[in-house]
Amino acid sequence: AYYPFVFILVWAAAFLLCVLLWALIDRINLKVSKKDEKAEEEIGAKKKITLFFVSAVLIFAAWVPCLLASWPGFFSYDASKEFVQIWYPEVPIWGRISIIHSALLLLCCKIGNKLFGDFNSGIALFSIIHMLLGAFVLAYETVFLYALKRKKYIYFVSVCYFMFAPVIALFSGCSNSTIFGSLLSTLLMLRFYEIFCLDSLKEKSIARKIAGYAGFAILAILTCHIRSSFSFLFSLMTVYVIVKKIKKPQKIIYMAAVFVMIFAFNKGIVKIVNAENPPDSELFSIPVQQLANVY
């Protein structure tokens, strides 16, 4: 009976910890003049792009031996159910599992079967897509941390950790949708901090602002569909915007609109494919597991 309250407290405490850490980082940021800030931003943009691609290549390359050792990858957890429910029309679709994730899995299996005559190559393709997403997200996080602190050792420690940490390397090719969701939620939190805490779009052109906010909305919808229970994380983000950005009602309206779009998309896609509704217990049990995955 008390489980929902424990669940809310766990998420709230974790989110509060993130906010406190972000506030601490904000306080120690160095102040520079407008001229130096602009020059530093221009140089930093090129350096960030270079570091991002270098990091992504290094991380992905370090994971390849794990993929080869477990070829064609880890086809585990919900992936077997996803494959069955989409490959065989007579099996009802279960709304608990991400429909987009299942569709991507089916597409990869069809491509592998068409080109090589077996499903293993399709599963390998799916594992490689997982690894690419993981490498890009963790490379983005590495550059994000480096840009905040501007200390080289942070960059090298982060890259080495993501390359060689056993759990990360082994699960990089796992087909489980929770891995997908954890990576997307990590990227969503980073983008949230950049847009709403650092106000990174403030000085951008109208076109870049529209692209930035639209990209964040799409990322939020996709993240909360891969595991719809991630919508609780987004709801806490919305509360933070309301509390901290009360003088900017347009941001509150934007977050509320994205929040509505998340639920509308999840309900709509379940209805379109005539999937079975997920059990309500999923909204309370899965987020705790995913929180552990993200951190």
Side-chain angles (χ1 to χ4, degrees), residues 4 28 51 53 56 58 68 99 114 125 161 163-164 189 204 230-231 241 251 259 264 270 272 293:
I28 62 177
L51 286 175
F53 283 106
L58 289 174
L68 296 177
I99 295 168
K114 185 77 173 177
L125 174 61
Y161 174 73
M163 286 172 65
F164 303 118
M189 285 191 288
K204 304 297 182 183
F230 273 124
S231 54
V241 171
K251 290 190 175 181
F259 193 76
V270 166
I272 288 171
N293 287 334

Side-chain angles (χ1 to χ4, degrees), residues 7 95 99 217-218 220-236 238 255-272 277-278 280 282-283 287:
F7 155 79
I99 295 168
I218 293 171
I221 292 169
L222 182 59
T223 302
C224 296
H225 171 69
I226 293 296
R227 275 299 193 184
S228 59
S229 45
F230 273 124
S231 54
F232 279 95
L233 173 63
F234 192 80
S235 66
L236 289 171
T238 306
M255 290 293 283
V258 176
F259 193 76
V260 170
M261 284 190 285
I262 287 170
F263 282 94
F265 180 83
N266 287 341
K267 291 292 183 182
I269 199 169
V270 166
K271 189 171 286 291
I272 288 171
N277 288 321
D280 293 334
E282 284 284 304
L283 296 177

